[in-house]
Amino acid sequence: MATQAMAPRLAAERRFYLGISAAMLATVFAGFAPSFYLRGIAPAYAPYLPMTWLVALHGVVFSAWVVLFMAQVSLVSAGRTDLHRRLGRAGFGLVMLMAIVGTLAALYGVARRSGPPIVPPLAWLAVPLLDVPVFLGLIWAGLHNRQRPQAHKRFMLVSMIGLLPPSIGRFPWPAAFPLPVIIIGGQLVFLAALATWDVRSRGKIHWVTALGTVVLVG
């Protein structure tokens, strides 16, 4: 009886994580379609800097993580937790590669002046350099809590939300919208969805959701 009672809740949980993961995948694709995925095909939101091998590598590596994340959520939704665990171990190497390539791309971005035009390149460098340890910290917390599924999946989801600002910032926002509002607001949309699911499924916000919100907004 207890198993039967848990079934609808488990199905709803899987639908939620699959849905929010698909929304994040769509956000990444839409944000980078003109400048990367469909460069030269989709209308450009703004003039883009020339493509280099490091920028292309950065795009490929981080895109691989987004696809891996979606695959991991899909495997859990399909009940294939065995494959989920195997793929998770293989994904650890990708995380390390992301940290290296992300740091190199951030340093290279100073010479390219790839940040917002209103911010000095060296000042903007603080943003991606801080993002790397935050991402690694959230991933570590997720792996550390892999025996606690509710904490594990939330840490992994929050780490993915933390990667969305570059995609969100590339949408054609009105010039009157300040960049911090766009970046933080975009993340809060996904964090609010997670908090709403917490309240609906648990009656209160999960501590990982609260901690993740403080970290990302901070």
Side-chain angles (χ1 to χ4, degrees):
M1 293 295 293
T3 302
Q4 292 178 347
M6 285 287 292
R9 178 177 175 180
L10 182 60
E13 180 177 73
R14 289 175 174 176
R15 285 197 300 270
F16 166 75
Y17 279 99
L18 194 61
I20 195 172
S21 299
M24 289 192 288
L25 179 64
T27 299
V28 171
F29 180 80
F32 280 99
S35 62
F36 188 71
Y37 300 118
L38 299 177
R39 190 181 181 108
I41 300 175
Y45 296 147
Y48 298 121
L49 295 172
M51 182 66 65
T52 68
W53 71 267
L54 181 57
V55 173
L57 178 63
H58 178 272
V60 170
V61 170
F62 277 71
S63 296
W65 174 258
V66 176
V67 174
L68 175 62
F69 182 85
M70 189 71 205
Q72 288 289 70
V73 175
S74 300
L75 286 171
V76 173
S77 297
R80 294 305 307 270
T81 54
D82 55 332
L83 291 179
H84 174 86
R85 287 190 291 268
R86 293 179 192 172
L87 198 56
R89 288 192 289 268
F92 182 77
L94 181 58
V95 170
M96 296 299 100
L97 183 60
M98 290 171 67
I100 295 171
V101 173
T103 301
L104 292 176
L107 296 172
Y108 180 51
V110 176
R112 281 168 52 88
R113 304 185 70 87
S114 59
I118 61 173
V119 182
L122 283 175
W124 180 254
L125 179 62
V127 175
L129 289 187
L130 182 60
D131 284 344
V132 171
V134 168
F135 174 72
L136 291 178
L138 290 170
I139 292 294
W140 176 86
L143 295 176
H144 182 71
N145 286 277
R146 61 188 179 276
Q147 302 302 325
R148 303 164 66 188
Q150 294 301 322
H152 168 74
K153 61 183 62 180
R154 282 171 173 81
F155 270 121
M156 301 306 289
L157 184 64
V158 170
S159 72
M160 184 63 205
I161 294 174
L163 295 180
L164 292 180
S167 305
I168 297 170
R170 280 170 169 76
F171 281 87
W173 299 101
F177 281 30
L179 184 62
V181 173
I182 294 171
I183 297 303
I184 296 175
Q187 292 183 104
L188 284 176
V189 169
F190 290 94
L191 290 167
L194 178 57
T196 301
W197 166 251
D198 285 351
V199 174
R200 288 187 58 186
S201 62
R202 306 177 70 253
K204 61 181 179 180
I205 295 177
H206 196 281
W207 67 270
V208 174
T209 303
L211 176 62
T213 300
V214 171
V215 169
L216 294 187
V217 174

